[in-house]
PDB file of all heavy atoms in Angstrom:
ATOM      1  N   LEU M 101     127.683-101.083  69.867  1.00  0.00           N
ATOM      2  CA  LEU M 101     128.203-100.080  70.787  1.00  0.00           C
ATOM      3  C   LEU M 101     127.088 -99.523  71.672  1.00  0.00           C
ATOM      4  O   LEU M 101     125.920 -99.498  71.286  1.00  0.00           O
ATOM      5  CB  LEU M 101     128.857 -98.929  70.013  1.00  0.00           C
ATOM      6  CG  LEU M 101     130.122 -99.271  69.224  1.00  0.00           C
ATOM      7  CD1 LEU M 101     130.546 -98.084  68.379  1.00  0.00           C
ATOM      8  CD2 LEU M 101     131.247 -99.694  70.160  1.00  0.00           C
ATOM      9  N   ALA M 102     127.458 -99.065  72.849  1.00  0.00           N
ATOM     10  CA  ALA M 102     126.504 -98.420  73.748  1.00  0.00           C
ATOM     11  C   ALA M 102     127.097 -97.069  74.172  1.00  0.00           C
ATOM     12  O   ALA M 102     128.171 -97.041  74.775  1.00  0.00           O
ATOM     13  CB  ALA M 102     126.225 -99.301  74.959  1.00  0.00           C
ATOM     14  N   PRO M 103     126.419 -95.970  73.811  1.00  0.00           N
ATOM     15  CA  PRO M 103     125.144 -95.915  73.091  1.00  0.00           C
ATOM     16  C   PRO M 103     125.309 -96.299  71.617  1.00  0.00           C
ATOM     17  O   PRO M 103     126.380 -96.113  71.050  1.00  0.00           O
ATOM     18  CB  PRO M 103     124.735 -94.447  73.225  1.00  0.00           C
ATOM     19  CG  PRO M 103     126.034 -93.709  73.381  1.00  0.00           C
ATOM     20  CD  PRO M 103     126.927 -94.614  74.171  1.00  0.00           C
ATOM     21  N   ARG M 104     124.244 -96.822  71.048  1.00  0.00           N
ATOM     22  CA  ARG M 104     124.287 -97.254  69.653  1.00  0.00           C
ATOM     23  C   ARG M 104     124.124 -96.043  68.743  1.00  0.00           C
ATOM     24  O   ARG M 104     123.150 -95.302  68.855  1.00  0.00           O
ATOM     25  CB  ARG M 104     123.154 -98.241  69.374  1.00  0.00           C
ATOM     26  CG  ARG M 104     123.131 -98.774  67.936  1.00  0.00           C
ATOM     27  CD  ARG M 104     121.778 -99.397  67.633  1.00  0.00           C
ATOM     28  NE  ARG M 104     121.718-100.060  66.342  1.00  0.00           N
ATOM     29  CZ  ARG M 104     121.582 -99.450  65.165  1.00  0.00           C
ATOM     30  NH1 ARG M 104     121.510 -98.124  65.117  1.00  0.00           N
ATOM     31  NH2 ARG M 104     121.512-100.149  64.038  1.00  0.00           N
ATOM     32  N   PRO M 105     125.067 -95.822  67.830  1.00  0.00           N
ATOM     33  CA  PRO M 105     124.900 -94.703  66.897  1.00  0.00           C
ATOM     34  C   PRO M 105     123.914 -95.048  65.785  1.00  0.00           C
ATOM     35  O   PRO M 105     123.744 -96.223  65.440  1.00  0.00           O
ATOM     36  CB  PRO M 105     126.308 -94.515  66.328  1.00  0.00           C
ATOM     37  CG  PRO M 105     126.881 -95.904  66.352  1.00  0.00           C
ATOM     38  CD  PRO M 105     126.321 -96.558  67.600  1.00  0.00           C
ATOM     39  N   ARG M 106     123.276 -94.043  65.220  1.00  0.00           N
ATOM     40  CA  ARG M 106     122.523 -94.244  63.981  1.00  0.00           C
ATOM     41  C   ARG M 106     123.544 -94.383  62.857  1.00  0.00           C
ATOM     42  O   ARG M 106     124.518 -93.631  62.805  1.00  0.00           O
ATOM     43  CB  ARG M 106     121.581 -93.069  63.719  1.00  0.00           C
ATOM     44  CG  ARG M 106     120.455 -92.970  64.740  1.00  0.00           C
ATOM     45  CD  ARG M 106     119.492 -91.847  64.408  1.00  0.00           C
ATOM     46  NE  ARG M 106     120.141 -90.550  64.526  1.00  0.00           N
ATOM     47  CZ  ARG M 106     120.266 -89.875  65.667  1.00  0.00           C
ATOM     48  NH1 ARG M 106     119.811 -90.393  66.789  1.00  0.00           N
ATOM     49  NH2 ARG M 106     120.859 -88.690  65.691  1.00  0.00           N
ATOM     50  N   MET M 107     123.304 -95.335  61.958  1.00  0.00           N
ATOM     51  CA  MET M 107     124.295 -95.630  60.929  1.00  0.00           C
ATOM     52  C   MET M 107     123.680 -95.608  59.536  1.00  0.00           C
ATOM     53  O   MET M 107     122.600 -96.174  59.319  1.00  0.00           O
ATOM     54  CB  MET M 107     124.933 -96.998  61.178  1.00  0.00           C
ATOM     55  CG  MET M 107     125.825 -97.040  62.407  1.00  0.00           C
ATOM     56  SD  MET M 107     126.621 -98.655  62.602  1.00  0.00           S
ATOM     57  CE  MET M 107     125.184 -99.664  62.962  1.00  0.00           C
ATOM     58  N   SER M 108     124.386 -94.973  58.614  1.00  0.00           N
ATOM     59  CA  SER M 108     123.933 -94.919  57.226  1.00  0.00           C
ATOM     60  C   SER M 108     125.126 -95.126  56.306  1.00  0.00           C
ATOM     61  O   SER M 108     126.278 -95.193  56.759  1.00  0.00           O
ATOM     62  CB  SER M 108     123.244 -93.581  56.932  1.00  0.00           C
ATOM     63  OG  SER M 108     124.116 -92.497  57.217  1.00  0.00           O
ATOM     64  N   LEU M 109     124.846 -95.220  55.027  1.00  0.00           N
ATOM     65  CA  LEU M 109     125.863 -95.556  54.031  1.00  0.00           C
ATOM     66  C   LEU M 109     125.604 -94.736  52.780  1.00  0.00           C
ATOM     67  O   LEU M 109     124.462 -94.648  52.316  1.00  0.00           O
ATOM     68  CB  LEU M 109     125.773 -97.048  53.694  1.00  0.00           C
ATOM     69  CG  LEU M 109     126.706 -97.616  52.627  1.00  0.00           C
ATOM     70  CD1 LEU M 109     128.066 -97.929  53.237  1.00  0.00           C
ATOM     71  CD2 LEU M 109     126.120 -98.895  52.017  1.00  0.00           C
ATOM     72  N   THR M 110     126.654 -94.122  52.229  1.00  0.00           N
ATOM     73  CA  THR M 110     126.563 -93.451  50.934  1.00  0.00           C
ATOM     74  C   THR M 110     127.251 -94.323  49.895  1.00  0.00           C
ATOM     75  O   THR M 110     128.428 -94.673  50.045  1.00  0.00           O
ATOM     76  CB  THR M 110     127.223 -92.068  50.985  1.00  0.00           C
ATOM     77  OG1 THR M 110     126.485 -91.226  51.870  1.00  0.00           O
ATOM     78  CG2 THR M 110     127.208 -91.422  49.607  1.00  0.00           C
ATOM     79  N   THR M 111     126.530 -94.692  48.842  1.00  0.00           N
ATOM     80  CA  THR M 111     127.018 -95.682  47.883  1.00  0.00           C
ATOM     81  C   THR M 111     126.570 -95.325  46.473  1.00  0.00           C
ATOM     82  O   THR M 111     125.593 -94.589  46.280  1.00  0.00           O
ATOM     83  CB  THR M 111     126.477 -97.079  48.257  1.00  0.00           C
ATOM     84  OG1 THR M 111     126.783 -98.017  47.212  1.00  0.00           O
ATOM     85  CG2 THR M 111     124.980 -97.074  48.462  1.00  0.00           C
ATOM     86  N   ASN M 112     127.269 -95.876  45.486  1.00  0.00           N
ATOM     87  CA  ASN M 112     126.787 -95.736  44.105  1.00  0.00           C
ATOM     88  C   ASN M 112     125.717 -96.772  43.775  1.00  0.00           C
ATOM     89  O   ASN M 112     125.153 -96.750  42.685  1.00  0.00           O
ATOM     90  CB  ASN M 112     127.944 -95.787  43.100  1.00  0.00           C
ATOM     91  CG  ASN M 112     128.705 -97.105  43.117  1.00  0.00           C
ATOM     92  OD1 ASN M 112     128.151 -98.172  43.394  1.00  0.00           O
ATOM     93  ND2 ASN M 112     130.004 -97.044  42.797  1.00  0.00           N
ATOM     94  N   GLY M 113     125.450 -97.681  44.700  1.00  0.00           N
ATOM     95  CA  GLY M 113     124.331 -98.613  44.551  1.00  0.00           C
ATOM     96  C   GLY M 113     124.616 -99.866  43.769  1.00  0.00           C
ATOM     97  O   GLY M 113     123.789-100.787  43.753  1.00  0.00           O
ATOM     98  N   ILE M 114     125.777 -99.963  43.141  1.00  0.00           N
ATOM     99  CA  ILE M 114     126.023-101.093  42.249  1.00  0.00           C
ATOM    100  C   ILE M 114     126.008-102.430  42.993  1.00  0.00           C
ATOM    101  O   ILE M 114     125.505-103.425  42.490  1.00  0.00           O
ATOM    102  CB  ILE M 114     127.355-100.890  41.487  1.00  0.00           C
ATOM    103  CG1 ILE M 114     127.167 -99.794  40.428  1.00  0.00           C
ATOM    104  CG2 ILE M 114     127.823-102.184  40.825  1.00  0.00           C
ATOM    105  CD1 ILE M 114     128.433 -99.419  39.691  1.00  0.00           C
ATOM    106  N   GLY M 115     126.536-102.468  44.202  1.00  0.00           N
ATOM    107  CA  GLY M 115     126.571-103.725  44.944  1.00  0.00           C
ATOM    108  C   GLY M 115     125.429-103.922  45.921  1.00  0.00           C
ATOM    109  O   GLY M 115     125.419-104.905  46.680  1.00  0.00           O
ATOM    110  N   LEU M 116     124.450-103.039  45.920  1.00  0.00           N
ATOM    111  CA  LEU M 116     123.393-103.113  46.939  1.00  0.00           C
ATOM    112  C   LEU M 116     122.456-104.302  46.760  1.00  0.00           C
ATOM    113  O   LEU M 116     121.924-104.818  47.739  1.00  0.00           O
ATOM    114  CB  LEU M 116     122.567-101.822  46.941  1.00  0.00           C
ATOM    115  CG  LEU M 116     122.980-100.734  47.921  1.00  0.00           C
ATOM    116  CD1 LEU M 116     122.050 -99.534  47.778  1.00  0.00           C
ATOM    117  CD2 LEU M 116     123.000-101.228  49.355  1.00  0.00           C
ATOM    118  N   LYS M 117     122.246-104.735  45.533  1.00  0.00           N
ATOM    119  CA  LYS M 117     121.316-105.830  45.320  1.00  0.00           C
ATOM    120  C   LYS M 117     121.735-107.061  46.117  1.00  0.00           C
ATOM    121  O   LYS M 117     120.897-107.772  46.694  1.00  0.00           O
ATOM    122  CB  LYS M 117     121.225-106.173  43.830  1.00  0.00           C
ATOM    123  CG  LYS M 117     120.218-107.266  43.525  1.00  0.00           C
ATOM    124  CD  LYS M 117     120.124-107.526  42.021  1.00  0.00           C
ATOM    125  CE  LYS M 117     119.116-108.637  41.724  1.00  0.00           C
ATOM    126  NZ  LYS M 117     119.014-108.896  40.252  1.00  0.00           N
ATOM    127  N   ARG M 118     123.043-107.316  46.201  1.00  0.00           N
ATOM    128  CA  ARG M 118     123.523-108.515  46.898  1.00  0.00           C
ATOM    129  C   ARG M 118     123.842-108.269  48.372  1.00  0.00           C
ATOM    130  O   ARG M 118     124.030-109.224  49.128  1.00  0.00           O
ATOM    131  CB  ARG M 118     124.749-109.090  46.193  1.00  0.00           C
ATOM    132  CG  ARG M 118     125.915-108.136  46.119  1.00  0.00           C
ATOM    133  CD  ARG M 118     127.139-108.768  45.461  1.00  0.00           C
ATOM    134  NE  ARG M 118     128.209-107.804  45.267  1.00  0.00           N
ATOM    135  CZ  ARG M 118     129.021-107.381  46.224  1.00  0.00           C
ATOM    136  NH1 ARG M 118     128.885-107.841  47.451  1.00  0.00           N
ATOM    137  NH2 ARG M 118     129.967-106.497  45.961  1.00  0.00           N
ATOM    138  N   THR M 119     123.917-107.002  48.801  1.00  0.00           N
ATOM    139  CA  THR M 119     124.360-106.735  50.172  1.00  0.00           C
ATOM    140  C   THR M 119     123.312-106.054  51.050  1.00  0.00           C
ATOM    141  O   THR M 119     123.495-105.996  52.275  1.00  0.00           O
ATOM    142  CB  THR M 119     125.610-105.834  50.172  1.00  0.00           C
ATOM    143  OG1 THR M 119     125.306-104.622  49.451  1.00  0.00           O
ATOM    144  CG2 THR M 119     126.791-106.532  49.526  1.00  0.00           C
ATOM    145  N   ALA M 120     122.237-105.542  50.480  1.00  0.00           N
ATOM    146  CA  ALA M 120     121.287-104.736  51.260  1.00  0.00           C
ATOM    147  C   ALA M 120     120.717-105.506  52.448  1.00  0.00           C
ATOM    148  O   ALA M 120     120.663-104.989  53.573  1.00  0.00           O
ATOM    149  CB  ALA M 120     120.159-104.233  50.361  1.00  0.00           C
ATOM    150  N   ALA M 121     120.288-106.731  52.230  1.00  0.00           N
ATOM    151  CA  ALA M 121     119.678-107.508  53.313  1.00  0.00           C
ATOM    152  C   ALA M 121     120.679-107.783  54.428  1.00  0.00           C
ATOM    153  O   ALA M 121     120.348-107.682  55.620  1.00  0.00           O
ATOM    154  CB  ALA M 121     119.115-108.819  52.769  1.00  0.00           C
ATOM    155  N   ALA M 122     121.920-108.129  54.068  1.00  0.00           N
ATOM    156  CA  ALA M 122     122.941-108.408  55.077  1.00  0.00           C
ATOM    157  C   ALA M 122     123.297-107.152  55.870  1.00  0.00           C
ATOM    158  O   ALA M 122     123.505-107.209  57.096  1.00  0.00           O
ATOM    159  CB  ALA M 122     124.192-108.981  54.414  1.00  0.00           C
ATOM    160  N   LEU M 123     123.352-106.017  55.191  1.00  0.00           N
ATOM    161  CA  LEU M 123     123.664-104.766  55.881  1.00  0.00           C
ATOM    162  C   LEU M 123     122.548-104.389  56.852  1.00  0.00           C
ATOM    163  O   LEU M 123     122.802-103.936  57.970  1.00  0.00           O
ATOM    164  CB  LEU M 123     123.885-103.645  54.861  1.00  0.00           C
ATOM    165  CG  LEU M 123     125.199-103.713  54.095  1.00  0.00           C
ATOM    166  CD1 LEU M 123     125.194-102.758  52.919  1.00  0.00           C
ATOM    167  CD2 LEU M 123     126.384-103.414  55.019  1.00  0.00           C
ATOM    168  N   ARG M 124     121.315-104.595  56.433  1.00  0.00           N
ATOM    169  CA  ARG M 124     120.193-104.301  57.329  1.00  0.00           C
ATOM    170  C   ARG M 124     120.225-105.229  58.544  1.00  0.00           C
ATOM    171  O   ARG M 124     120.015-104.787  59.682  1.00  0.00           O
ATOM    172  CB  ARG M 124     118.871-104.461  56.571  1.00  0.00           C
ATOM    173  CG  ARG M 124     117.638-104.172  57.407  1.00  0.00           C
ATOM    174  CD  ARG M 124     117.641-102.750  57.902  1.00  0.00           C
ATOM    175  NE  ARG M 124     116.439-102.440  58.656  1.00  0.00           N
ATOM    176  CZ  ARG M 124     116.394-101.569  59.670  1.00  0.00           C
ATOM    177  NH1 ARG M 124     117.500-100.934  60.044  1.00  0.00           N
ATOM    178  NH2 ARG M 124     115.273-101.338  60.302  1.00  0.00           N
ATOM    179  N   ALA M 125     120.495-106.502  58.314  1.00  0.00           N
ATOM    180  CA  ALA M 125     120.565-107.456  59.420  1.00  0.00           C
ATOM    181  C   ALA M 125     121.702-107.111  60.373  1.00  0.00           C
ATOM    182  O   ALA M 125     121.604-107.346  61.591  1.00  0.00           O
ATOM    183  CB  ALA M 125     120.741-108.871  58.882  1.00  0.00           C
ATOM    184  N   ALA M 126     122.796-106.541  59.851  1.00  0.00           N
ATOM    185  CA  ALA M 126     123.941-106.168  60.683  1.00  0.00           C
ATOM    186  C   ALA M 126     123.664-104.935  61.531  1.00  0.00           C
ATOM    187  O   ALA M 126     124.352-104.705  62.530  1.00  0.00           O
ATOM    188  CB  ALA M 126     125.166-105.928  59.810  1.00  0.00           C
ATOM    189  N   GLY M 127     122.674-104.138  61.125  1.00  0.00           N
ATOM    190  CA  GLY M 127     122.317-102.973  61.920  1.00  0.00           C
ATOM    191  C   GLY M 127     122.334-101.652  61.193  1.00  0.00           C
ATOM    192  O   GLY M 127     122.082-100.600  61.799  1.00  0.00           O
ATOM    193  N   LEU M 128     122.631-101.665  59.880  1.00  0.00           N
ATOM    194  CA  LEU M 128     122.592-100.410  59.131  1.00  0.00           C
ATOM    195  C   LEU M 128     121.165 -99.879  59.097  1.00  0.00           C
ATOM    196  O   LEU M 128     120.219-100.640  58.898  1.00  0.00           O
ATOM    197  CB  LEU M 128     123.107-100.629  57.703  1.00  0.00           C
ATOM    198  CG  LEU M 128     123.395 -99.346  56.903  1.00  0.00           C
ATOM    199  CD1 LEU M 128     124.636 -98.643  57.447  1.00  0.00           C
ATOM    200  CD2 LEU M 128     123.582 -99.664  55.419  1.00  0.00           C
ATOM    201  N   ASP M 129     121.014 -98.572  59.272  1.00  0.00           N
ATOM    202  CA  ASP M 129     119.679 -97.977  59.329  1.00  0.00           C
ATOM    203  C   ASP M 129     119.146 -97.556  57.962  1.00  0.00           C
ATOM    204  O   ASP M 129     117.980 -97.785  57.658  1.00  0.00           O
ATOM    205  CB  ASP M 129     119.686 -96.772  60.278  1.00  0.00           C
ATOM    206  CG  ASP M 129     119.961 -97.180  61.707  1.00  0.00           C
ATOM    207  OD1 ASP M 129     119.207 -98.019  62.234  1.00  0.00           O
ATOM    208  OD2 ASP M 129     120.943 -96.692  62.303  1.00  0.00           O
ATOM    209  N   ARG M 130     119.993 -96.936  57.144  1.00  0.00           N
ATOM    210  CA  ARG M 130     119.496 -96.476  55.857  1.00  0.00           C
ATOM    211  C   ARG M 130     120.653 -96.218  54.901  1.00  0.00           C
ATOM    212  O   ARG M 130     121.825 -96.321  55.294  1.00  0.00           O
ATOM    213  CB  ARG M 130     118.652 -95.210  56.008  1.00  0.00           C
ATOM    214  CG  ARG M 130     119.398 -94.009  56.540  1.00  0.00           C
ATOM    215  CD  ARG M 130     118.575 -92.728  56.439  1.00  0.00           C
ATOM    216  NE  ARG M 130     119.439 -91.572  56.657  1.00  0.00           N
ATOM    217  CZ  ARG M 130     120.194 -91.030  55.715  1.00  0.00           C
ATOM    218  NH1 ARG M 130     120.194 -91.532  54.483  1.00  0.00           N
ATOM    219  NH2 ARG M 130     120.955 -89.984  55.978  1.00  0.00           N
ATOM    220  N   VAL M 131     120.314 -95.861  53.643  1.00  0.00           N
ATOM    221  CA  VAL M 131     121.337 -95.611  52.620  1.00  0.00           C
ATOM    222  C   VAL M 131     121.036 -94.330  51.844  1.00  0.00           C
ATOM    223  O   VAL M 131     119.886 -93.908  51.722  1.00  0.00           O
ATOM    224  CB  VAL M 131     121.448 -96.780  51.610  1.00  0.00           C
ATOM    225  CG1 VAL M 131     121.977 -98.031  52.281  1.00  0.00           C
ATOM    226  CG2 VAL M 131     120.119 -97.041  50.920  1.00  0.00           C
ATOM    227  N   ASN M 132     122.110 -93.739  51.335  1.00  0.00           N
ATOM    228  CA  ASN M 132     122.052 -92.702  50.306  1.00  0.00           C
ATOM    229  C   ASN M 132     122.669 -93.304  49.049  1.00  0.00           C
ATOM    230  O   ASN M 132     123.785 -93.843  49.121  1.00  0.00           O
ATOM    231  CB  ASN M 132     122.868 -91.469  50.690  1.00  0.00           C
ATOM    232  CG  ASN M 132     122.233 -90.640  51.784  1.00  0.00           C
ATOM    233  OD1 ASN M 132     121.365 -91.115  52.504  1.00  0.00           O
ATOM    234  ND2 ASN M 132     122.682 -89.413  51.934  1.00  0.00           N
TER     235      ASN M 132
END
Side-chain angles (χ1 to χ4, degrees):
L101 294 173
R104 181 197 186 282
R106 293 183 294 275
M107 291 183 293
S108 57
L109 177 83
T110 294
T111 171
N112 62 31
I114 287 175
L116 266 180
K117 183 178 179 180
R118 60 178 174 78
T119 56
L123 286 168
R124 180 61 177 149
L128 192 71
D129 295 303
R130 63 170 194 82
V131 293
N132 287 18

